[in-house]
C-alpha cells in the first residue's frame, strides 16, 4: 500500500529516465520532506552507483527511506501499532495521552491529526495512520519543544509597567563595534522585528539645525534623527502591539531639542504619549492601556501636573536648567566655581516625557524617600552587580516599584554583552543588551522573550512583584524544586562545519540558567563521523528550585581536537514553556537565523 502510494507520487518524474541532484531535491520537497541540500547531496553521492550524477527510481527510493524513515521514529510507531503497519485512531490517542502528556484527548483530536498529516488517501479515509503520516506528524510544529500556548500573549497585561520584564536594547543604532562601526537604521528595524520594546537613541547636534544619531566622540557614521524615528514609526508595532520606549541619550542644544520634539510629534502623531492617561496617578499604567503608544524616556522639568497645564501653549525658546529648574535669560552666562557639564532641557521635549522620566540613581534609601512612580533609573552593569551582591533585598524592593534599566559598561567597546540572567533574577525590568552582538547573552535574551507571544513584555514572577516576598536568588528558602529529565535521543541533519562532509563529530551541551543554585551544565559523548543522524540516547536530570526564572539552552558543537570545538547551533527557551513527551528542538545559528531542518530529538 505504501509502495503503491509512493510510486504513484514519483513515477511521472522518472518518465524521462534517471534524475539529477536538483530534481531529487525538488521531488523530496514535493513529498513534503524537509531536507538540507548539503545532506541530500552527500546521500545522493553515496547512492548514485554509476557515479554519473543521475539516479534510478530504485536509488531514489533508497535515498527517500534514508532521509524519512528514522529508526527512533519507527521504534515509537511499532510500540503503538498492533501490526507494525498501521496506527488506529485509538492507538494514536493512546500515544498522545501516554507519551505526549495530552490533557484532553479524544478520538476527534486523533482524527484531526490523521486528516492533517496522513498522505496516503485510503489510510486517511479509514481514520488510520501509516508510518508516512506518523513521520510527518512527528516532524510538524505540533511536536516542537516550545509550547504552542506560550507563542500567544496569554499573561495578564493589566499590571503596571514596572511588573514586567521588558525586552530592551543598548546602542540600538550600531551594527558592529562602538568606536568605528557603522550606525545603521537596520539596527532599529531588526531590534523591533525581534520584539524589542526599549530602544536607545544617542542624539547630538547636527548641521543645518538637524539633530543626528551616532555614538558621540567616536568615528561611527551619523544618521538623521528624523530618519531614525520614521523607521521606528514604520516597524514599531509589526511584532508586538505593546508600547515602545525611546530612551533618549540626549546631547543636543535646546534649539535642536525643539527640533526633536517637533519631529517626534510630526512622525508619531496620536501614537506619541504626551499626556497622563488618568488625572492624578500614583502608579504606572499597564502595557494593555498603552497599546500602540510611543513613550519618550528623557530628563524632565517639573511635575506631570505642570506639564498638563502647559498643554497647547507655545513652548519655543523656553528652556530650563535641569539642576536648578531656573529659567535662563538668553545670552546670560552663569558663573559657577565648579565646572559641571550642565544640560539645558527644552520645555517642548521635556513635556513629552510622561511615565518614563530619566532620573539619576543616587542610592536605594534616596529612592525610597524621594523617587516618584514615573522616575526610572539607568544603572551600569558594574555598579548594579556590586549592589546586587551587597544589597540584594533593597535592590529587589527597588525594582518592585521603579523601572530599572541595566546597561553594558562603557569599556565594552567591542559591543560585547554581560549575562542578563543575574539582573532578571533581581527583577530589573530593562536589561539592555547590544542586539547586534551574537553569543550567549543574546541567546538568553531571545530565548526568554519567546514567551508571551514574543510581545517583548513578560510578567515578572509573583515573588519579584509582591511586597511581602523575601525572595533572594542566592538563598532560596521555600523549596519546592522540580525535576527535569531530558533524554537526548538523536540529532537530525545537523549543520556542518567548514570542512564540509556530513561526517562531523558532534556533541550536545544542555545548560540551565536561573538563580545561582540552578545553574548547571551537562554534555553528551561525541558521536563520530555522523552529522546526518547521530544517536545519543543519553538521559540527563536537573533539579530546578526556581522554575519561573529558569532558561534551558541546548548547544550543538562539532568536536575539534586542535582548534577546540566549533559551534553548530543552539536553542534556548524558558523552562515553563517546554512541552513534555517526544519533542523536536529546532536549531538556530550564532546570528539567530533558523537552521531548519537541523534539529534535536528528545523526550522530556
Amino acid at each position: 500500500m505504501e509502495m503503491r502510494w509512493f510510486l504513484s507520487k514519483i513515477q511521472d518524474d522518472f518518465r524521462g529516465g534517471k534524475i539529477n541532484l536538483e530534481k531529487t531535491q525538488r521531488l523530496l520537497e514535493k513529498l513534503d520532506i524537509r531536507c538540507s541540500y548539503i545532506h541530500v547531496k552527500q546521500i545522493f553521492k553515496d547512492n548514485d552507483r554509476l557515479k554519473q550524477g543521475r539516479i534510478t527510481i530504485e536509488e531514489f527510493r533508497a535515498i527517500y527511506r534514508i532521509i524519512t524513515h528514522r529508526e527512533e521514529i519507527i521504534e515509537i510507531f511499532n510500540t503503538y501499532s498492533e501490526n507494525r503497519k498501521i496506527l488506529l485512531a485509538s492507538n494514536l490517542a493512546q500515544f498522545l495521552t501516554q507519551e505526549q502528556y495530552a490533557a484532553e484527548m479524544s478520538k476527534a483530536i486523533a482524527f484531526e491529526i490523521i486528516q492533517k498529516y496522513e498522505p496516503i488517501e485510503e489510510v486517511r479515509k479509514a481514520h488510520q495512520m501509516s508510518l508516512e503520516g506518523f513521520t510527518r506528524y512527528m516532524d510538524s510544529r505540533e511536536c516542537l519543544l516550545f509550547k504552542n500556548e506560550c507563542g500567544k500573549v496569554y499573561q495578564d497585561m493589566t499590571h503596571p509597567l514596572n511588573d514586567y520584564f521588558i525586552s530592551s536594547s543598548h546602542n540600538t543604532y550600531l551594527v558592529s563595534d562602538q568606536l568605528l562601526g557603522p550606525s545603521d537604521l537596520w539596527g532599529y528595524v531588526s531590534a523591533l522585528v525581534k520584539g524589542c520594546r526599549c530602544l536607545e537613541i544617542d542624539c547630538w547636534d547636527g548641521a543645518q539645525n538637524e539633530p543626528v544619531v551616532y555614538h558621540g566622540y567616536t568615528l561611527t557614521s551619523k544618521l538623521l534623527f528624523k530618519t531614525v524615528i520614521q523607521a521606528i514609526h514604520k516597524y514599531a508595532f509589526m511584532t508586538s502591539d505593546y508600547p515602545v520606549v525611546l530612551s533618549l541619550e540626549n546631547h543636543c542644544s535646546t534649539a535642536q531639542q525643539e527640533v526633536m520634539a517637533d519631529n517626534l510629534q510630526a512622525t508619531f502623531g496620536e501614537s506619541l504619549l504626551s499626556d497622563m492617561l488618568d488625572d492624578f496617578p500614583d502608579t504606572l499604567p499597564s502595557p494593555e492601556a498603552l497599546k500602540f503608544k510611543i513613550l519618550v524616556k528623557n530628563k524632565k522639568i517639573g511635575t506631570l501636573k505642570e506639564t498638563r497645564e502647559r498643554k497647547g501653549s507655545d513652548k519655543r525658546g523656553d528652556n530650563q536648567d535641569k539642576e536648578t529648574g531656573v529659567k535662563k535669560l538668553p545670552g546670560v552666562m552663569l558663573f559657577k566655581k565648579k565646572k559641571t557639564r550642565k544640560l539645558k532641557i527644552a520645555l517642548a521635549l521635556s513635556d513629552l516625557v510622561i511615565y518614563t522620566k530619566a532620573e539619576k540613581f543616587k542610592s536605594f534609601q534616596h529612592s525610597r524617600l524621594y523617587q516618584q512612580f514615573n522616575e526610572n533609573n539607568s544603572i551600569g552593569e558594574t555598579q548594579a552587580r556590586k549592589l546586587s551582591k551587597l544589597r540584594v533585598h533593597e535592590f529587589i524592593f527597588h525594582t518592585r516599584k521603579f523601572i530599572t534599566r541595566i546597561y553594558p559598561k562603557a569599556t565594552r567597546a567591542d559591543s560585547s554583552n554581560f549575562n542578563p540572567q543575574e539582573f532578571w533574577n533581581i527583577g530589573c525590568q530593562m536589561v539592555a543588551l547590544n542586539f547586534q552582538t551574537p553569543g550567549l547573552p543574546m541567546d538568553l535574551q531571545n530565548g526568554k522573550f519567546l514567551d508571551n507571544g514574543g510581545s517583548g513584555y513578560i510578567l515578572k514572577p509573583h515573588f519579584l512583584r509582591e511586597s511581602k516576598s523575601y525572595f533572594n536568588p542566592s538563598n532560596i528558602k521555600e523549596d519546592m524544586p522540580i525535576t527535569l529529565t531530558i533524554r537526548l535521543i538523536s540529532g537530525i541533519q545537523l549543520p556542518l562545519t567548514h570542512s564540509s562532509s556530513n561526517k562531523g563529530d558532534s556533541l550536545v551541551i544542555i545548560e540551565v540558567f536561573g538563580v545561582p543554585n540552578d545553574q548547571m551544565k551537562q554534555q553528551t559523548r561525541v558521536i563520530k563521523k555522523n552529522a546526518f543522524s547521530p544517536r545519543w540516547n543519553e538521559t540527563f536530570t536537573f533539579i530546578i528550585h526556581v522554575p519561573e526564572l529558569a532558561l534551558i539552552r541546548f548547544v550543538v558543537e562539532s568536536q575539534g581536537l586542535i582548534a577546540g570545538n566549533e559551534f553548530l547551533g543552539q536553542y534556548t527557551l524558558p523552562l515553563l514553556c517546554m512541552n513534555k513527551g517526544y519533542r523536536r528542538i529546532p536549531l538556530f545559528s550564532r546570528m539567530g537565523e533558523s537552521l531548519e531542518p537541523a534539529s534535536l530529538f528528545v523526550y522530556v
Side-chain angles (χ1 to χ4, degrees):
M1 179 178 56
E2 285 187 35
M3 188 61 182
R4 255 203 329 273
W5 162 80
F6 184 70
L7 289 173
S8 76
K9 282 294 223 188
I10 67 167
Q11 54 203 18
D12 281 1
D13 294 84
F14 285 91
R15 284 268 149 80
K18 296 179 172 188
I19 64 170
N20 64 8
L21 173 60
E22 276 63 33
K23 203 157 179 197
T24 300
Q25 174 87 1
R26 277 204 301 278
L27 192 47
L28 287 165
E29 282 163 11
K30 186 174 119 182
L31 289 161
D32 290 326
I33 296 306
R34 301 180 317 135
C35 41
S36 87
Y37 182 74
I38 298 180
H39 284 296
V40 175
K41 185 174 161 186
Q42 187 68 37
I43 295 163
F44 181 95
K45 212 167 101 186
D46 296 344
N47 285 272
D48 170 14
R49 281 192 292 269
L50 297 176
K51 303 281 177 255
Q52 292 169 347
R54 302 171 78 73
I55 55 166
T56 63
I57 196 163
E58 287 78 27
E59 287 166 335
F60 177 77
R61 184 167 175 240
I63 290 172
Y64 175 82
R65 291 179 69 159
I66 290 167
I67 291 174
T68 356
H69 295 178
R70 302 198 342 257
E71 287 293 315
E72 58 273 41
I73 301 291
I74 296 171
E75 284 164 22
I76 304 165
F77 181 83
N78 288 344
T79 307
Y80 285 88
S81 162
E82 288 159 27
N83 59 1
R84 297 182 153 229
K85 285 191 178 65
I86 222 84
L87 284 177
L88 305 173
S90 56
N91 302 146
L92 179 60
Q94 190 190 4
F95 164 75
L96 293 167
T97 33
Q98 288 185 7
E99 303 290 4
Q100 302 300 76
Y101 295 84
E104 57 277 356
M105 182 36 66
S106 59
K107 278 258 182 80
I109 294 174
F111 284 168
E112 232 172 83
I113 290 172
I114 289 169
Q115 275 308 309
K116 199 165 166 188
Y117 297 103
E118 178 51 59
I120 305 175
E121 195 179 357
E122 53 194 290
V123 180
R124 190 168 63 240
K125 282 190 169 149
H127 294 309
Q128 295 172 347
M129 195 175 230
S130 67
L131 176 63
E132 295 292 339
F134 189 66
T135 296
R136 283 162 177 74
Y137 170 63
M138 293 302 283
D139 193 43
S140 75
R141 294 197 60 76
E142 295 180 47
C143 293
L144 287 174
L145 180 65
F146 184 70
K147 264 187 196 158
N148 235 345
E149 305 85 81
C150 297
K152 304 179 195 59
V153 174
Y154 66 94
Q155 297 177 344
D156 180 351
M157 300 305 278
T158 61
H159 285 253
L161 279 181
N162 47 301
D163 276 357
Y164 297 84
F165 293 120
I166 303 170
S167 175
S168 305
S169 102
H170 176 66
N171 288 347
T172 320
Y173 44 87
L174 293 181
V175 281
S176 57
D177 72 56
Q178 306 195 355
L179 301 177
L180 299 160
S183 305
D184 195 337
L185 284 176
W186 176 243
Y188 291 99
V189 172
S190 65
L192 287 166
V193 169
K194 285 181 192 162
C196 180
R197 300 286 87 190
C198 177
L199 305 172
E200 187 184 22
I201 310 183
D202 220 337
C203 314
W204 299 78
D205 279 358
Q208 276 110 33
N209 208 24
E210 282 284 1
V212 290
V213 173
Y214 73 106
H215 203 39
Y217 307 120
T218 61
L219 299 173
T220 56
S221 51
K222 298 176 183 177
L223 300 166
L224 287 181
F225 177 74
K226 68 174 177 205
T227 318
V228 169
I229 62 172
Q230 282 159 2
I232 292 171
H233 177 58
K234 194 168 164 188
Y235 291 94
F237 303 108
M238 270 178 82
T239 304
S240 165
D241 302 351
Y242 293 100
V244 170
V245 177
L246 304 183
S247 185
L248 302 183
E249 215 19 68
N250 196 341
H251 309 275
C252 291
S253 63
T254 48
Q256 295 210 9
Q257 288 179 39
E258 286 175 357
V259 175
M260 286 167 66
D262 287 345
N263 288 161
L264 287 163
Q265 281 164 313
T267 305
F268 294 116
E270 283 301 297
S271 329
L272 185 69
L273 186 84
S274 54
D275 192 12
M276 299 178 280
L277 298 183
D278 310 313
D279 279 350
F280 296 108
D282 56 355
T283 54
L284 292 174
S286 68
E288 192 60 41
L290 292 168
K291 263 187 168 174
F292 302 112
K293 289 289 183 201
I294 302 283
L295 279 60
V296 175
K297 180 169 172 294
N298 191 63
K299 294 204 163 48
K300 180 177 180 65
I301 301 158
T303 63
L304 286 170
K305 187 165 170 280
E306 291 163 345
T307 297
R308 177 168 280 183
E309 285 161 1
R310 278 192 295 268
K311 205 160 175 57
S313 65
D314 181 24
K315 303 161 189 172
R316 241 156 273 204
D318 203 345
N319 323 314
Q320 296 189 7
D321 183 357
K322 169 70 182 88
E323 297 297 310
T324 54
V326 176
K327 289 206 176 178
K328 294 297 174 61
L329 295 170
V332 173
M333 286 289 289
L334 268 113
F335 291 101
K336 287 213 168 159
K337 291 222 170 72
K338 205 167 69 176
K339 262 198 167 172
T340 52
R341 210 175 126 263
K342 277 272 181 284
L343 181 71
K344 285 186 179 175
I345 295 188
L347 214 51
L349 184 61
S350 168
D351 279 358
L352 296 180
V353 176
I354 308 295
Y355 295 119
T356 42
K357 173 184 176 186
E359 193 57 44
K360 191 168 169 50
F361 175 74
K362 296 190 176 73
S363 70
F364 291 133
Q365 187 189 5
H366 184 275
S367 295
R368 263 202 312 279
L369 295 172
Y370 306 109
Q371 193 158 334
Q372 301 299 305
F373 78 97
N374 67 328
E375 296 179 332
N376 320 154
N377 308 120
S378 280
I379 308 177
E381 64 168 298
T382 314
Q383 186 189 8
R385 194 170 289 121
K386 209 181 278 173
L387 289 170
S388 73
K389 291 194 171 61
L390 299 173
R391 307 186 164 232
V392 65
H393 285 297
E394 287 181 80
F395 209 146
I396 293 174
F397 182 84
H398 183 84
T399 60
R400 266 190 218 125
K401 291 172 70 172
F402 307 115
I403 291 181
T404 305
R405 180 173 175 273
I406 310 293
Y407 59 92
K409 57 186 179 204
T411 50
R412 294 181 181 270
D414 58 349
S415 293
S416 61
N417 281 316
F418 53 84
N419 181 337
Q421 185 71 46
E422 56 179 318
F423 301 116
W424 290 329
N425 286 346
I426 52 176
C428 297
Q429 293 84 350
M430 295 179 167
V431 181
L433 296 179
N434 291 300
F435 267 54
Q436 72 275 19
T437 309
L440 169 73
M442 270 316 289
D443 292 346
L444 298 182
Q445 160 77 24
N446 293 334
K448 185 172 188 69
F449 286 97
L450 283 175
D451 200 359
N452 204 28
S455 63
Y457 285 84
I458 293 172
L459 188 60
K460 297 201 281 184
H462 67 94
F463 51 79
L464 288 172
R465 302 192 315 259
E466 290 164 6
S467 49
K468 289 182 284 294
S469 153
Y470 290 100
F471 177 74
N472 175 353
S474 305
N475 182 9
I476 303 301
K477 292 272 199 293
E478 58 280 15
D479 219 7
M480 286 288 287
I482 66 165
T483 305
L484 169 68
T485 306
I486 297 172
R487 178 156 57 102
L488 193 77
I489 302 170
S490 61
I492 305 161
Q493 302 187 41
L494 298 181
L496 300 170
T497 52
H498 303 305
S499 53
S500 80
S501 75
N502 52 2
K503 305 277 189 277
D505 301 343
S506 22
L507 67 135
V508 179
I509 299 163
I510 306 177
E511 302 178 83
V512 179
F513 292 87
V515 299
N517 220 356
D518 288 343
Q519 306 271 9
M520 192 177 179
K521 183 181 196 166
Q522 303 194 47
Q523 75 176 54
T524 64
R525 65 189 192 282
V526 176
I527 300 284
K528 295 274 186 199
K529 299 204 178 352
N530 182 357
F532 176 68
S533 57
R535 293 275 306 263
W536 286 279
N537 254 325
E538 293 183 52
T539 301
F540 302 96
T541 301
F542 301 89
I543 306 290
I544 294 170
H545 302 83
V546 187
E548 297 88 343
L549 289 171
L551 297 171
I552 313 294
R553 181 171 186 252
F554 299 83
V555 185
V556 184
E557 291 183 350
S558 170
Q559 189 185 40
L561 297 174
I562 300 159
N565 290 0
E566 190 174 340
F567 172 94
L568 294 182
Q570 70 85 34
Y571 187 69
T572 305
L573 80 171
L575 170 73
L576 298 180
C577 294
M578 278 169 78
N579 271 317
K580 295 189 278 190
Y582 287 103
R583 299 292 165 185
R584 192 168 60 80
I585 303 175
L587 293 175
F588 288 82
S589 73
R590 194 173 272 301
M591 295 305 293
E593 291 120 1
S594 165
L595 296 170
E596 290 275 23
S599 40
L600 297 172
F601 188 56
V602 297
Y603 185 81
V604 178

